[in-house]
Amino acid sequence: MFSRLVVANRAPAARLLQQSARTHTVSATTSPSFVLVARAQRLTAIAVCHIQQGPADPILGVSEAFKRDKDAKKLNLGVGAYRDDNNKPVIVRSVKEATKRIYDEQLNNEYAPIAGDPEFIRLALQLAYGDAAPLKEGRIAGLQALSGTGALRLIGAFISKFPPGGQKPTVYVPNPTWGNHNTIFGDSGLAVKMYKYYQPKTKGLDLDGLLADIKAAPSKSVFVFHACAHNPTGVDPKPEQWAAISEAVRAKEHFVVIDSAYQGFASGDPTRDAFAIQQFVKDGHQIALAQSFSKNFGLYGQRVGCVSFVTDSAAEASNVESQVKILARAMYSNPPIHGSRIVTTILRDGALKTQWHADVKEMAERIIKMRDLLRVELERLGSKHNWQHITDQIGMFCYSGLTPEQVDKLTSDYHIYLTRNGRISMAGVTSKDIPYLAKAIHEVSK
């Protein structure tokens, strides 16, 4: 291959040989292609030698520290992945059956279309939007994506290329939010700011601050909301609060992005968990939606997701889809097929879909039970703090209110690992862990 390159480009090759003479001893038998390779390697080394070590991911860093710890009582409450009450990963029953059916069908492994499997997209949109008018009228452009992260990255790229107000808007994310939101939209070439969301004093929603920031933001900004089970706080607006938020956003003509990572996994009811999505659409917003099927189907490693845009017309939906396909083509060409086949098999089969509803309800209810047990045990131990927020919050994570210093003490004294913002993955807590965890929290928070 390199010899052909040399022959086809004699003049550039000669210049490279002359330049290389200062740094390489070339014998009469030295291959020109060898010199070119050596020269290219040297240039590459020069080009990357200034690169510094990137910061470690805080969540993955917790997991690495946990793995190094040899204490028998250690607990990893940092990673957002569901475990059963024996602290084991779970393959839910509906997924087991769907996987078996797919295997029995002996399907091929050909490429999916750039947009993904049309039947998967149809079912995914139906799950999120319900009977919303834009879905019935064909006004929603949808594509399969690489889970929620990939869906958000496509949304960021689309907004950057086709800004809603004509100029690149600022993207507003909640304070606090999932850490990757800032990176995803920042790497899409968009400025990112935070809006008020969490009130530390009440450990609940700062609705007044949120509405004030919506009003203060320049018109036609972008606001990112979590559909349910806000990460990391577990604090969700109530239905009447969502209505107020929707009205404030509409008054300033902001563009809404909704990140739906936990539909069904939060409350155990997929319809209830889609309330915010359907409220914004009902109120006339043309939202962008990122759906993940990692948590609610337990398909973490399959990277199953869907991205969608609500538009004015079927024709506009087609135009949007065509442009997002161009973005997807440049990023990853086409999505993986196995995980989407699993979701499709479940959602289009009445019995399997009923089983999935039972599966996701069971997972949600176990997490809710762990919240109840932890609060009861802390109160039994005589803690003087109010731990009501543990049961008020919803979803995988509990925003405990512990300080970074208290978290450090949990780790050093009790071998309990979580992120320094005090976020506890309740999906990783078992009933056997409750007494030890509660005692440790009680001791460090005295």
Side-chain angles (χ1 to χ4, degrees):
M1 181 174 70
F2 286 107
S3 61
R4 290 199 198 103
L5 181 62
V6 173
V7 171
N9 298 278
R10 290 184 182 278
R15 285 196 296 271
L16 280 172
L17 286 169
Q18 292 169 359
Q19 292 165 0
S20 297
R22 299 187 185 92
T23 54
H24 296 89
T25 301
V26 183
S27 71
T29 59
T30 301
S31 165
S33 62
F34 171 81
V35 176
L36 280 174
V37 170
R39 176 64 172 165
Q41 288 175 339
R42 180 172 175 272
L43 290 172
T44 301
I46 294 171
V48 300
C49 67
H50 68 286
I51 303 299
Q52 297 179 351
Q53 182 76 33
D57 184 282
I59 297 174
L60 297 182
V62 168
S63 294
E64 291 302 315
F66 171 80
K67 289 177 184 177
R68 292 191 296 269
D69 193 328
K70 304 303 181 185
D71 193 271
K73 292 183 178 179
K74 67 179 182 177
L75 298 176
N76 184 1
L77 305 180
V79 177
Y82 181 80
R83 300 289 183 263
D84 66 16
D85 204 41
N86 293 310
N87 200 28
K88 301 296 182 184
V90 172
I91 302 176
V92 300
R93 290 182 292 271
S94 54
V95 168
K96 282 183 180 179
E97 176 59 27
T99 303
K100 181 179 181 299
R101 292 185 189 183
I102 291 167
Y103 177 80
D104 289 343
E105 289 181 43
Q106 293 293 293
L107 300 173
N108 65 47
N109 290 305
E110 294 294 304
Y111 288 121
I114 296 173
D117 176 14
E119 181 69 356
F120 164 77
I121 296 165
R122 183 185 71 81
L123 293 166
L125 298 185
Q126 189 178 75
L127 183 68
Y129 293 97
D131 61 354
L135 188 59
K136 293 178 179 178
E137 296 163 4
R139 294 193 284 115
I140 300 180
L143 289 86
Q144 188 178 333
L146 304 184
S147 198
T149 303
L152 287 165
R153 187 62 179 82
L154 285 171
I155 291 171
F158 185 82
I159 291 172
S160 184
K161 190 173 182 180
F162 304 100
Q167 294 184 342
K168 285 189 179 181
T170 296
V171 177
Y172 290 83
V173 299
N175 185 16
T177 194
W178 179 48
N180 218 12
H181 279 156
N182 297 279
T183 306
I184 288 168
F185 290 105
D187 283 359
S188 298
L190 299 166
V192 182
K193 293 183 178 180
M194 304 195 93
Y195 62 83
K196 296 181 186 70
Y197 187 86
Y198 179 74
Q199 175 52 261
K201 289 183 179 179
T202 64
K203 298 181 176 63
L205 182 68
D206 182 2
L207 181 62
D208 290 340
L210 194 164
L211 293 175
D213 283 353
I214 290 173
K215 184 177 181 180
S219 296
K220 299 183 180 179
S221 296
V222 175
F223 273 76
V224 178
F225 298 105
H226 299 228
C228 62
H230 179 273
N231 179 4
T233 70
V235 174
D236 286 352
K238 296 179 174 61
E240 63 274 14
Q241 293 172 325
W242 275 124
I245 292 167
S246 173
E247 183 179 350
V249 168
R250 186 171 52 183
K252 291 299 299 281
E253 299 182 287
H254 297 319
F255 183 72
V256 173
V257 174
I258 299 182
D259 184 357
S260 179
Y262 304 99
Q263 186 181 355
F265 194 82
S267 68
D269 180 353
T271 301
R272 176 182 171 185
D273 291 347
F275 177 86
I277 299 168
Q278 296 175 18
Q279 178 71 51
F280 276 103
V281 174
K282 180 182 176 182
D283 291 344
H285 295 276
Q286 293 183 0
I287 69 168
L289 174 65
Q291 291 173 265
S292 168
F293 296 84
S294 296
K295 308 297 193 299
N296 52 4
F297 282 78
L299 295 172
Y300 303 95
Q302 298 295 343
R303 313 313 294 147
V304 189
C306 187
V307 61
S308 56
F309 297 81
V310 178
T311 70
D312 272 331
S313 65
E316 186 176 71
S318 177
N319 292 343
V320 169
E321 180 186 331
S322 70
Q323 293 292 347
V324 181
K325 283 166 65 176
I326 292 171
L327 296 171
R329 174 65 170 157
M331 288 185 191
Y332 55 84
S333 200
N334 34 39
I337 57 177
H338 185 63
S340 62
R341 282 174 173 171
I342 293 172
V343 174
T344 300
T345 301
I346 292 170
L347 293 182
R348 73 183 175 192
D349 182 279
L352 274 183
K353 187 175 182 181
T354 298
Q355 179 61 63
W356 172 70
H357 277 262
D359 293 336
V360 77
K361 188 172 188 290
E362 181 179 314
M363 290 189 287
E365 287 181 345
R366 196 191 83 75
I367 294 173
I368 292 168
K369 181 181 179 181
M370 293 305 104
R371 289 181 178 276
D372 292 337
L373 291 176
L374 181 58
R375 177 183 172 184
V376 167
E377 185 65 10
L378 282 165
E379 291 171 349
R380 188 192 70 79
L381 290 169
S383 176
K384 295 181 181 179
H385 298 286
N386 181 356
W387 297 104
Q388 182 179 333
H389 61 282
I390 293 177
T391 52
D392 284 349
Q393 295 169 7
I394 192 171
M396 179 172 280
F397 301 111
C398 168
Y399 214 50
S400 65
L402 296 172
T403 66
E405 294 73 24
Q406 290 169 338
V407 171
D408 291 343
K409 196 166 180 61
L410 275 179
T411 301
S412 62
D413 295 2
Y414 297 94
H415 306 273
I416 296 172
Y417 292 83
L418 56 147
T419 51
R420 294 188 81 235
N421 60 6
R423 189 194 79 167
I424 296 173
S425 176
M426 296 305 298
V429 178
T430 71
S431 54
K432 290 177 288 188
D433 298 331
I434 292 293
Y436 182 70
L437 175 61
K439 181 180 179 182
I441 292 174
H442 177 52
E443 291 297 328
V444 303
S445 62
K446 281 183 176 177

